Amino acid sequence: GRLTRRGFPVTEYQGRLKQAQILMHDMKVDAILVTCETNFTYFSGLQSQFWHSPTRPMYLVLPSQGESPIAVVPCISAVPMEKTWVKDIRSWPSPRPEDDGLSLVVDALTNDVPSRFGRIGMPMGHESSVRMPLADVFTLASSLEQHHGIAKPFVDASPIIRSLRARKSPLEIDKLKTASHLASLAFAELPGRLERLGEQLGRDPQAMTERMAVREMRLEMLTQGLDDAPYVIGKSGPFGYDSVVDGPTDRPLRCGDVMVVDTGGKYDGYFCDFDRNFMMKGGNAQTGSSAEDAVLAGQDSLWRATEAGLDALRPGRPVSQVWKAMATSLERDGVDRRAISAGRMGHGLGMQLTEWPSITQGEETVIQPGMVFTIEPSLPLPEGLGLVHEENAVVGECEDAPPLLLSHRAPRAMPTVELQHDVLCAEAWTPAVHR
């Protein structure tokens, strides 16, 4: 189908700045200084792969009054910046370590920003970062202290920025929906793609590996129309896996293996983030066992826990209720509450793969319309193994409105991939270690 239109109208960015200015007034700050990619892009519209280079800093000043941010960027980024809605652009020849744009930032904050409160906001809290040399942070603080006569000129602006970014506009939701839709199409094609690859590789049990499976998924995601697939995890193991944050490796896939593929694909700057489990079958291998039965039962438990989490995702409720709904569902299936994930079972989603807030037992943030979450219950299995399941959804407009599922709902039964060999997963594999 037709892909979502790229970019945003100027009115979208104007609205973001205006909302930030209202919150700045309430917090009594004169401006917010932004240095990291996602916040810079959110308020300016500049999308650039040049952020991968750590050499040159870029700054965006959000004034508490006025119609435009002030961009302080290296000369090399000035032309792309001029194509955005930002009109006040200041640049310098970078790299220049002795003054890499810092004097321009000081000038903007002391001479071009109204000084009502003598305080400048910077993201300083949880899930925030500062992308400038630490020495320059100290120099900037000293310059502002001298100008304002205040000992601590910086205050934490994280609550302002995360509250704005947590609630997505309809245009943002369209991009998130497109990313999830295209990744869902890729997941649907993955078993067939792996089976065709297996036919090419033949019956060698060493041939099909986690790394090859992940490569096929990444290629399919790009084929479907995603701009990038920067996060694709593949992890396998005998009737479960021991981690979802590393891999892929060169571990061969065997009959009876369960492989999770967790993907974060991007469309026009917005992520999807959900996973799927696959059972490896093949040839004359007899994989039926109590371990396989436990895995299939676990998959069904996770599917129902996800349903419970989605049903609890309603505006006006604390985030912790979503966690509780999933935990209660797993407990009904005999899972010990103490074994249920002590961390989180989902999180916010947007311009970053993971965003605030996290779905934890103690998170009391109130769910609001337009928030986008991953719903991600996990299930422990014996021998240190486990299973996870994940979907993406946007919160509806009222208590009676169910969330809108962005990812295509996973099948209740675990999909299978037919291998060309019949070697069982019980045969050990040890990765090569180079010393």
Side-chain angles (χ1 to χ4, degrees):
R2 183 175 61 85
L3 296 181
T4 300
R5 184 176 178 178
R6 294 181 179 277
F8 294 102
V10 171
T11 52
E12 181 93 359
Y13 296 109
Q14 291 172 331
R16 293 173 184 178
L17 177 60
K18 187 60 65 178
Q19 291 179 66
Q21 289 174 331
I22 293 171
L23 296 174
M24 278 188 261
H25 182 271
D26 294 341
M27 188 177 279
K28 294 182 171 55
V29 297
D30 295 323
I32 294 176
L33 178 62
V34 166
T35 60
C36 71
E37 178 184 5
T38 47
N39 292 333
F40 194 109
T41 302
Y42 180 80
F43 288 105
S44 73
L46 177 69
Q47 290 197 38
S48 172
Q49 296 185 62
F50 205 60
W51 288 98
H52 288 295
S53 170
T55 304
R56 299 174 174 92
M58 297 205 290
Y59 306 92
L60 194 70
V61 176
L62 309 177
S64 58
Q65 300 177 30
E67 302 299 322
S68 170
I70 302 171
V72 181
V73 298
C75 289
I76 196 171
S77 297
V79 172
M81 200 73 222
E82 290 169 358
K83 299 175 183 178
T84 71
W85 80 288
V86 178
K87 302 307 178 187
D88 191 341
I89 302 169
R90 309 172 189 191
S91 60
W92 80 98
S94 179
R96 191 175 62 190
E98 66 275 13
D99 179 11
D100 233 357
L102 193 61
S103 61
L104 294 177
V105 175
V106 171
D107 181 68
L109 291 175
T110 56
N111 295 324
D112 299 297
V113 169
S115 181
R116 296 183 59 196
F117 308 110
R119 306 198 313 166
I120 303 298
M122 288 186 72
M124 299 162 61
H126 185 60
E127 298 189 33
S128 68
S129 60
V130 177
R131 189 184 180 274
M132 62 184 291
L134 184 58
D136 284 356
V137 175
F138 294 147
T139 300
L140 177 58
S142 177
S143 298
L144 295 176
E145 288 172 5
Q146 293 176 23
H147 179 80
H148 295 294
I150 296 177
K152 295 182 179 180
F154 290 135
V155 296
D156 184 14
S158 300
I160 291 177
I161 292 178
R162 73 185 185 188
S163 66
L164 293 178
R165 285 182 48 192
R167 295 188 68 174
K168 273 60 178 182
S169 71
L171 292 177
E172 288 183 287
I173 291 170
D174 284 345
K175 297 179 191 302
L176 289 159
K177 185 176 182 179
T178 297
S180 296
H181 170 66
L182 296 176
S184 295
L185 296 179
F187 268 126
E189 293 294 325
L190 184 60
R193 187 162 185 144
L194 294 182
E195 288 170 1
R196 291 190 294 272
L197 177 62
E199 292 171 359
Q200 298 173 21
L201 297 173
R203 294 181 58 81
D204 180 1
Q206 305 295 324
M208 177 79 79
T209 66
E210 291 177 350
R211 198 178 307 279
M212 297 178 75
V214 165
R215 183 186 65 186
E216 293 299 309
M217 180 61 182
R218 182 173 273 115
L219 289 172
E220 186 62 36
M221 291 169 72
L222 298 177
T223 298
Q224 292 294 342
L226 284 159
D227 297 333
D228 196 7
Y231 186 91
V232 186
I233 296 294
K235 190 71 174 180
S236 64
F239 304 110
Y241 34 85
D242 61 8
S243 172
V244 291
V245 296
D246 65 336
T249 69
D250 292 317
R251 180 185 186 276
L253 299 178
R254 305 291 177 85
C255 299
D257 276 344
V258 174
M259 181 173 186
V260 63
V261 178
D262 188 6
T263 183
K266 292 181 75 174
Y267 180 81
D268 201 21
Y270 285 78
F271 270 97
C272 64
D273 177 22
F274 59 103
D275 60 47
R276 294 293 180 260
N277 293 308
F278 300 92
M279 174 72 77
M280 301 296 144
K281 298 280 190 175
N284 298 316
Q286 301 297 316
T287 59
S289 65
S290 58
E292 180 175 352
D293 291 343
V295 165
L296 297 180
Q299 169 81 5
D300 192 68
S301 292
L302 286 176
W303 194 91
R304 283 183 277 110
T306 303
E307 288 289 297
L310 289 168
D311 186 62
L313 190 63
R314 305 296 176 103
R317 301 179 181 179
V319 170
S320 59
Q321 283 196 13
V322 182
W323 189 95
K324 182 178 179 181
M326 288 186 278
T328 300
S329 177
L330 292 171
E331 282 185 298
R332 290 196 190 103
D333 288 337
V335 180
D336 189 330
R337 172 65 72 100
R338 293 170 296 180
I340 296 173
S341 173
R344 63 185 182 185
M345 289 199 281
H347 50 79
L349 179 68
M351 295 176 69
Q352 291 173 287
L353 182 75
T354 69
E355 295 188 352
W356 176 89
S358 294
I359 299 179
T360 62
Q361 187 174 11
E363 180 57 71
E364 295 305 306
T365 297
V366 176
I367 300 169
Q368 300 179 55
M371 283 183 162
V372 177
F373 285 92
T374 69
I375 303 298
E376 189 178 6
S378 60
L379 181 75
L381 293 173
E383 307 298 328
L385 302 177
L387 296 174
V388 296
H389 182 70
E390 190 173 18
E391 302 284 5
N392 299 163
V394 57
V395 178
E397 290 298 319
C398 61
E399 171 72 22
D400 294 333
L404 172 66
L405 198 63
L406 300 180
S407 49
H408 299 185
R409 187 70 171 98
R412 188 162 182 169
M414 188 180 296
T416 60
V417 174
E418 292 291 331
L419 302 176
Q420 292 297 305
H421 63 79
D422 54 9
V423 177
L424 293 172
C425 60
E427 299 186 19
W429 173 81
T430 303
V433 177
H434 301 282
R435 300 188 184 278

